[in-house]
Amino acid sequence: MKIKIPIWINLLQVVILGILTFQTYACYLNPKSIYPDFVFDANTSKMVYTLASRNAVMMVISLIALVRQDARFYSFAFLIHSLRELQDMFIVPLTGGGLVVFFVFLIVFVIPEITAYFKLNKIANETGVMQ
């Protein structure tokens, strides 16, 4: 029996997928679109391309989760999303982003992603999906 994933989780995943797609494009092809003052040279290119590859992998995982609609796999994707956002949330104030951005990460991303993770785990466990 296939359980339907709640619409709010799919919408959140679409938003995350959109952000990851833009970040992947920007880091690979146009770093100045997200980091206008960034000096892209031989010394910094490895860092930018590493970020791009991280975002590309997360984008693929997000797309697979959205297409498959499998609660167990989807919960894995949201676990990764929430762990990534938790790190970003704490890095931003350290780099001058301020506490407002910290709370935006917390309220807009981290809390919904953790909630989605637990909801998807519950769905997976109720449907008897193997752990």
Side-chain angles (χ1 to χ4, degrees), residues 45-128:
S45 64
K46 288 180 187 177
M47 177 183 64
V48 172
Y49 290 141
T50 299
L51 179 60
S53 64
R54 161 202 178 241
N55 289 333
V57 169
M58 287 299 305
M59 183 180 70
V60 170
I61 290 170
S62 297
L63 186 59
I64 292 170
L66 191 61
V67 170
R68 285 187 60 194
Q69 294 289 296
D70 174 85
R72 182 70 59 207
F73 186 81
Y74 224 148
S75 69
F76 169 71
F78 271 98
L79 176 64
I80 293 172
H81 291 321
S82 61
L83 293 173
R84 182 192 71 239
E85 298 296 352
L86 276 167
Q87 290 180 68
D88 289 351
M89 182 178 80
F90 287 104
I91 290 169
V92 166
L94 296 175
T95 59
L99 285 178
V100 171
V101 177
F102 174 90
F103 285 107
V104 168
F105 269 98
L106 180 66
I107 294 165
V108 175
F109 293 107
V110 175
I111 291 172
E113 289 168 351
I114 290 172
T115 303
Y117 168 75
F118 284 114
K119 176 68 175 171
L120 289 161
N121 261 339
K122 183 179 178 194
I123 291 169
N125 290 334
E126 287 174 353
T127 60

Side-chain angles (χ1 to χ4, degrees), residues 14-33:
V14 167
V15 169
I16 292 168
L17 183 58
I19 292 167
L20 289 168
T21 301
F22 172 72
Q23 289 176 335
T24 300
Y25 156 78
C27 288
Y28 275 131
L29 302 172
N30 188 6
K32 295 248 182 218
S33 65

